[in-house]
Amino acid sequence: MQKQQRLSRELAKITQSPPPGICLSAKDDKLNVFEASIVGPESTPYCNGIFNLELMVPENYPFSPPSIKFLTKIYHPNIDDNGRICLDLIKMPPKGNWRPTIGLEGLLIAIRMLLENPNPDDPLMVEIAEEFKNNKPEYKRKAKLFTEQHATK
Amino acid sequence: MNDIVIDMMLKYPSILPVNPQYTEFQGYLTINGIDYKLHIKQQLEKQQFQLTVDSPLQQFKDDIVNLECSSKSSNIVTFLDSLKEIISLKTTIQNNKNFTDAYKHILSEYVELREFYININKCSISQDLSLIKISHLDESDRQHELEIIVDVNKLQEIFKVHRHSLPEKEDGDLFQNSNSLKTIYEKFVSTIERLQYFFNSMDSLDHTCHILDPERPTTKDCYRRIGLDLTVSMVITLNPWNDACIPSIKFLGPGRSVDGFRQKVAENLINWQANANILDELLKLLELSSFPAKLKDKDKKDEILLCDVGECCICFSLRLNDKLPEIVCQNASCEQFFHKECLYQWLVSVNAKQSFNELNGQCPNCEKHISCPL
């Protein structure tokens, strides 16, 4: 019941003053599916890339978090081959940290920050996390290559 | 306290007795600008002083042993005097670095720079001569900044560019360390001249278009995110170092609207003319007659807030089924409003504890305790 009202408000806000490097738009009139793009943050291997994401908003939003996944392939310790993201904010408490005050914009900002600062201590891709910790140059090289191959269209 | 100890404290204030018998002392002895940590014991039966020798003093070990042996007739003050003499004799040459030449060089370079380039906009040097700031106005009255730090330990490359307002070069640093301020400044000015097309292009974009990113563009930023309509925006990245290079253009927004723009770019990009007015070229590229106007300041004032004061910060609205938010978080630094219904639903979904006739849990905004009547 709160969903429609809240999402249209969120959408109006993000359209009027979009946060740096983030773009969000609804894919259907019922506001169930959204598409988002994140511009790779500067001075990271994701720089110059544009990453597309899909957000599915559940019926009982904002009491449950939306599910978010990357459509664009990305080389990152916390994002797997299918685009699933390991982020506490998109899981329900007590395991996660979702709160109804966060909102789609907040999540997208958090995901962009995750690109800036990967969290290798809570990895989804163990090998990439090991590489991130022990062989940064190699991680950067591969992440940059992935960005060039998949995210620069 | 005996006279000798008082003498010692007057002469060597950073050394103090450790025990009430005044046979053990500890503290620092400063010689030629270097602090040595000391621990001295007077052995009464041998009537000798003994000095604990650790790393910085190790180099004078032989002298110290000699000194200890001949310290029978001395007291703590004469012992410290002779110790100081020994060390100061041995260290004068190697440790007493003379920076006079370096400072003279810095000052003469600085004065010369100011006299030679009388049209420097602003130029200043910090009191300890460690930082030089220069600002330069280019032909379009844009201000460019340069900060140089001084490293007196390296005479050959005493000036090092610490920060500058020019875009970064991908392959390494723009400036090399140098011992000549003029060289650095000339490089700075010539680089600015070389970048004029880039600066002009960026300025005209900033002036005409609705810039979403960066929030406050600087001369360092090589990209702009430009709003094209309500949902579509374009990220344009210029290569400041190569005017002939076609800018990289990417679109953000819902797929169906973006595809149209992408197609236009794919068709028209071959007609892009380098070095021409970037606005004209962009309009041609996107087949637009003009760019969407900038938001007026007036519009910015009634910017939508995600959640206004007094609105429920779960459903982001004032009225829900015609009820107003009635619960306020008791934490003084939070004080957010909630509809009873919204808060109840949230607390239930996180399995909050029920006691008597209320639910107890955490405020979704500040995580402090909050309760909701049933």
Side-chain angles (χ1 to χ4, degrees):
Chain A
M1 185 171 30
Q2 290 94 332
K3 181 183 170 188
Q4 296 294 326
Q5 222 171 1
R6 199 183 125 134
L7 283 174
S8 45
R9 179 72 166 264
E10 286 193 51
L11 208 55
K13 157 81 169 64
I14 207 168
T15 317
Q16 195 193 46
S17 52
I22 286 167
C23 165
L24 176 79
S25 51
K27 241 183 169 168
D28 63 343
D29 294 337
K30 286 187 179 142
L31 303 180
N32 288 323
V33 187
F34 286 78
E35 57 186 328
S37 310
I38 293 182
V39 184
E42 273 182 80
S43 57
T44 70
Y46 310 109
C47 173
N48 286 331
I50 288 184
F51 299 89
N52 295 318
L53 297 95
E54 188 179 63
L55 292 86
M56 311 276 263
V57 184
E59 224 26 69
N60 60 344
Y61 181 82
F63 302 103
S64 302
S67 58
I68 307 183
K69 69 173 198 180
F70 272 81
L71 298 176
T72 310
K73 269 194 180 307
I74 183 167
Y75 192 80
H76 189 286
N78 308 101
I79 301 160
D80 76 2
D81 292 337
N82 297 319
R84 277 180 303 205
I85 308 161
C86 179
L87 183 70
D88 61 339
L89 289 182
I90 51 176
K91 289 183 208 132
M92 273 304 271
K95 263 170 121 183
N97 236 335
W98 165 255
R99 278 173 284 134
T101 42
I102 296 176
L104 303 184
E105 177 179 341
L107 288 178
L108 290 170
I109 292 174
I111 291 171
R112 191 161 189 259
M113 272 161 73
L114 191 66
L115 298 191
E116 261 176 277
N117 303 303
N119 177 9
D121 297 322
D122 184 17
L124 207 52
M125 303 295 280
V126 181
E127 277 165 30
I128 304 181
E130 289 301 316
E131 195 176 70
F132 180 82
K133 277 198 224 172
N134 305 322
N135 191 356
K136 261 247 175 80
E138 181 63 11
Y139 151 77
K140 281 190 181 159
R141 193 187 66 80
K142 284 190 190 158
K144 205 169 170 188
L145 193 70
F146 254 66
T147 308
E148 278 162 16
Q149 281 176 353
H150 301 287
T152 45
K153 262 182 216 159
Chain B
M1 210 186 280
N2 60 34
D3 290 351
I4 291 168
V5 175
I6 294 176
D7 270 357
M8 180 203 74
M9 290 173 85
L10 284 172
K11 206 164 173 186
Y12 300 101
S14 49
I15 295 176
L16 287 170
V18 190
N19 61 355
Q21 295 86 38
Y22 304 119
T23 56
E24 215 179 320
F25 305 88
Q26 209 174 330
Y28 289 89
L29 189 62
T30 309
I31 301 157
N32 287 337
I34 295 176
D35 293 329
Y36 298 95
K37 194 177 180 186
L38 295 183
H39 187 113
I40 304 165
K41 251 188 190 163
Q42 188 172 24
Q43 290 178 319
L44 289 172
E45 63 273 23
K46 278 200 228 163
Q47 291 230 317
Q48 272 188 5
F49 286 99
Q50 208 187 358
L51 184 67
T52 318
V53 181
D54 43 38
S55 47
L57 283 171
Q58 204 71 42
Q59 43 178 326
F60 317 110
K61 201 177 173 194
D62 296 343
D63 300 289
I64 290 172
V65 173
N66 282 340
L67 184 68
E68 282 171 347
C69 294
S70 62
S71 65
K72 262 181 194 166
S73 53
S74 59
N75 58 40
I76 181 71
V77 178
T78 51
F79 178 77
L80 284 172
D81 284 346
S82 11
L83 180 68
K84 189 172 179 177
E85 198 182 314
I86 290 171
I87 299 179
S88 60
L89 276 178
K90 298 239 162 176
T91 54
T92 12
I93 310 136
Q94 56 198 69
N95 278 326
N96 203 359
K97 254 198 172 173
N98 192 339
F99 292 120
T100 323
D101 287 343
Y103 287 126
K104 267 188 189 161
H105 177 73
I106 300 167
L107 278 176
S108 69
E109 280 286 315
Y110 180 73
V111 171
E112 207 177 313
L113 180 82
R114 296 205 66 156
E115 281 175 357
F116 196 78
Y117 297 98
I118 38 174
N119 58 348
I120 288 187
N121 178 34
K122 270 183 222 149
C123 187
S124 67
I125 186 162
S126 67
Q127 236 170 21
D128 58 356
L129 306 187
S130 65
L131 179 71
I132 298 169
K133 287 185 185 176
I134 299 174
S135 96
H136 175 81
L137 285 184
D138 68 12
E139 47 201 72
S140 306
D141 269 350
R142 281 179 290 254
Q143 192 168 323
H144 302 275
E145 315 274 348
L146 184 66
E147 265 183 48
I148 297 161
I149 49 173
V150 178
D151 184 358
V152 285
N153 289 311
K154 290 188 199 150
L155 266 185
Q156 278 318 301
E157 28 190 71
I158 192 165
F159 299 113
K160 185 178 169 208
V161 173
H162 162 57
R163 210 182 290 158
H164 59 78
S165 61
L166 306 178
E168 299 295 340
K169 240 184 166 170
E170 259 184 30
D171 48 344
D173 284 335
L174 197 50
F175 295 95
Q176 277 162 351
N177 299 348
S178 166
N179 65 345
S180 154
L181 259 189
K182 266 195 202 163
T183 314
I184 293 184
Y185 181 72
E186 273 164 15
K187 171 90 185 163
F188 180 57
V189 175
S190 66
T191 310
I192 292 172
E193 267 164 35
R194 186 180 149 195
L195 292 172
Q196 281 307 303
Y197 173 73
F198 166 74
F199 290 136
N200 287 334
S201 302
M202 284 308 195
D203 271 3
S204 55
L205 289 179
D206 288 341
H207 197 247
T208 317
C209 307
H210 176 204
I211 304 287
L212 299 169
D213 259 3
E215 207 175 355
R216 281 181 200 82
T218 67
T219 44
K220 257 187 143 53
D221 297 309
C222 308
Y223 75 98
R224 294 291 185 269
R225 180 173 164 197
I226 299 169
L228 292 179
D229 60 33
L230 267 181
T231 52
V232 182
S233 55
M234 166 178 82
V235 181
I236 175 167
T237 315
L238 266 64
N239 180 350
W241 308 106
N242 185 358
D243 298 343
C245 205
I246 295 174
S248 118
I249 291 174
K250 287 165 194 161
F251 294 97
L252 289 174
R256 52 183 192 279
S257 334
V258 162
D259 286 342
F261 281 111
R262 282 212 186 110
Q263 212 170 347
K264 281 178 196 162
V265 168
E267 281 167 18
N268 298 333
L269 201 59
I270 38 165
N271 297 325
W272 183 274
Q273 284 188 352
N275 272 315
N277 182 334
I278 192 158
L279 288 173
D280 297 342
E281 292 304 310
L282 273 179
L283 289 174
K284 249 179 17 196
L285 187 71
L286 303 174
E287 298 174 10
L288 294 173
S289 54
S290 68
F291 281 102
K294 295 174 120 186
L295 278 181
K296 298 276 182 318
D297 286 341
K298 191 186 86 206
D299 294 342
K300 273 191 178 164
K301 267 180 201 155
D302 24 72
E303 197 171 306
I304 304 171
L305 286 169
L306 206 47
C307 178
D308 219 332
V309 185
E311 289 181 329
C312 166
C313 72
I314 289 181
C315 66
F316 296 172
S317 51
L318 197 57
R319 279 171 202 283
L320 183 74
N321 301 333
D322 243 4
K323 279 189 206 126
L324 294 174
E326 52 191 315
I327 298 176
V328 182
C329 177
Q330 295 302 311
N331 173 9
S333 53
C334 173
E335 295 192 331
Q336 286 293 342
F337 286 73
F338 302 97
H339 289 116
K340 196 170 132 188
E341 206 179 323
C342 293
L343 186 62
Y344 176 80
Q345 214 173 325
W346 168 244
L347 290 177
V348 167
S349 63
V350 290
N351 298 320
K353 278 185 211 143
Q354 184 179 343
S355 57
F356 301 109
N357 56 349
E358 57 182 23
L359 269 176
N360 287 301
Q362 290 177 328
C363 163
N365 186 53
C366 68
E367 301 194 322
K368 293 275 186 307
H369 171 260
I370 198 165
S371 58
C372 175
L374 292 177

